Amino acid sequence: MKSAHPRRPNFDPSTLSWIPLVGGALVLILLATVLQCLLVVPAGARAVVFNSLTGLKLQPLGEGLHLLLPVIETPILYDVRTQTYTMASQRSESQSLGDDALKVLSADGQQITLDVSVRFRLDPAKVSHLHQTIGPSYVDKVIRPEVRTVMRNELALHRAIAVFSEEREEIQENVEQQLSSIFAENDLILQNVLLRNVRFSDQFQTAIEQKQIAEQEKERERFLVEKAELEKQRVVVLAEGEAQSIQLQGEALKQNPEVVQLDYVRKLAPGTRAIISRPEVLTDPLKR
């Protein structure tokens, strides 16, 4: 006879083994979600935040710990410290893979090759606008083309030799003034521009060296002329001094004839006795 109570199914303890796995997965998901909510902006950086619902936030995040909405908000970090962009012939200095030195033509048609270094930084308060209008590739879109354009236009107004003269400072100041305005319009701050390793064509370089040799020879000739003039003046002054001395001695002898005898005695050998007599003055016998 069958029992009136239904039979319970047999309990299998192995079916509970998946519970720790699910719990661990939930903890990991929760931890990942919390980490996505936290953002640490390092020193010298700013974070631009893009919200997938409202768009780009105009105020960038400063240094420190910040809370973000996971999945919805995405941070983009920008370095706002001083940076240096160099266009040079040597790969070790240039940001380019090859020869990136600037080649320009001067006002007198000479080709000038030079290395240019630009020190700049991003405007920390305008990083969001920079990201919105230009993006992370601001070096290729703004700095490189603008520097090359301004340098070419400025050097085209000067003779080639100007970069070795006092005009070099003027050229550098003009370039910095123009680039400062352009950089400011693009949310960048220019610090300074350095012109280095200036080179000319071989023919022009030879002409410069010959000119320098000629200038040095001219300076040497000018020095010799000035030296001869000084020597002439020295001789004249010496002669005038001797003439004046002779004149004074003559006047002294007229007044004191004994001076000649005294000078003669001084030149005698030591031990020699000498008697100096006063010359008799001849007078008229009728007046005795």
Side-chain angles (χ1 to χ4, degrees):
M1 182 175 178
K2 294 182 178 179
S3 174
H5 298 285
R7 184 179 180 183
R8 293 182 180 180
N10 294 330
F11 176 74
D12 187 3
S14 62
T15 57
L16 298 178
S17 60
W18 58 271
I19 295 179
L21 297 177
V22 173
L26 292 176
V27 171
L28 291 176
I29 294 174
L30 180 61
L31 181 61
T33 303
V34 172
L35 292 177
Q36 287 184 354
C37 294
L38 299 178
L39 172 66
V40 177
V41 179
R46 293 295 185 273
V48 176
V49 178
F50 177 77
N51 189 303
S52 59
L53 300 178
T54 60
L56 188 70
K57 289 187 176 182
L58 297 180
Q59 185 64 34
L61 301 179
E63 303 170 359
L65 182 64
H66 300 274
L67 185 64
L68 299 178
L69 296 177
V71 181
I72 297 177
E73 291 184 334
T74 304
I76 304 97
L77 292 178
Y78 279 89
D79 188 354
V80 297
R81 293 171 296 187
T82 298
Q83 304 178 49
T84 301
Y85 179 74
T86 300
M87 293 178 287
S89 57
Q90 297 183 4
R91 295 180 59 182
S92 59
E93 298 183 10
S94 175
Q95 271 77 11
S96 178
L97 296 178
D99 185 355
D100 197 32
L102 187 62
K103 297 178 176 61
V104 299
L105 288 178
S106 62
D108 50 353
Q110 297 295 332
Q111 180 172 324
I112 305 175
T113 304
L114 70 161
D115 299 344
V116 181
S117 293
V118 182
R119 299 179 71 247
F120 69 97
R121 62 188 180 92
L122 279 61
D123 190 338
K126 300 180 179 179
V127 173
S128 296
H129 186 261
L130 171 70
H131 179 76
Q132 188 177 40
T133 56
I134 301 174
S137 57
Y138 48 84
V139 170
D140 294 329
K141 292 182 178 179
V142 178
I143 295 177
R144 176 182 171 82
E146 294 296 345
V147 170
R148 298 178 76 88
T149 299
V150 171
M151 286 297 303
R152 285 195 175 100
N153 294 340
E154 180 62 28
L155 288 176
L157 302 176
H158 301 268
R159 296 173 59 85
I161 197 63
V163 295
F164 283 131
S165 66
E166 296 178 354
E167 292 185 44
R168 180 167 182 166
E169 294 184 2
E170 177 186 348
I171 294 172
Q172 191 161 307
E173 290 177 359
N174 292 340
V175 170
E176 289 180 353
Q177 289 178 0
Q178 297 178 56
L179 287 177
S180 294
S181 300
I182 297 173
F183 278 31
E185 295 174 356
N186 293 276
D187 306 319
L188 301 170
I189 299 175
L190 176 70
Q191 293 184 318
N192 60 346
V193 178
L194 303 175
L195 310 182
R196 304 178 295 107
N197 197 17
V198 181
R199 304 176 298 281
F200 301 103
S201 62
D202 295 339
Q203 296 81 359
F204 190 71
Q205 188 70 36
T206 302
I208 292 178
E209 292 175 356
Q210 292 177 350
K211 182 178 180 180
Q212 289 178 342
I213 293 174
E215 289 291 337
Q216 292 176 359
E217 186 65 25
K218 186 184 296 184
E219 288 293 330
R220 180 175 178 275
E221 292 178 358
R222 185 182 296 112
F223 170 76
L224 293 176
V225 170
E226 292 178 355
K227 182 179 179 182
E229 185 64 25
L230 292 175
E231 183 66 20
K232 178 181 177 182
Q233 294 178 4
R234 188 187 69 82
V235 172
V236 170
V237 171
L238 182 61
E240 291 177 350
E242 292 179 353
Q244 186 177 6
S245 177
I246 293 173
Q247 182 180 359
L248 293 175
Q249 290 179 6
E251 293 177 356
L253 289 175
K254 288 180 182 180
Q255 297 178 2
N256 302 289
E258 297 87 353
V259 174
V260 177
Q261 296 178 359
L262 180 60
D263 184 62
Y264 172 76
V265 170
R266 288 175 178 174
K267 295 179 180 179
L268 293 176
T272 304
R273 295 183 177 182
I275 299 176
I276 300 176
S277 61
R278 188 178 185 85
E280 296 183 358
V281 180
L282 296 179
T283 59
D284 191 349
L286 297 176
K287 295 183 178 181
R288 290 182 178 178

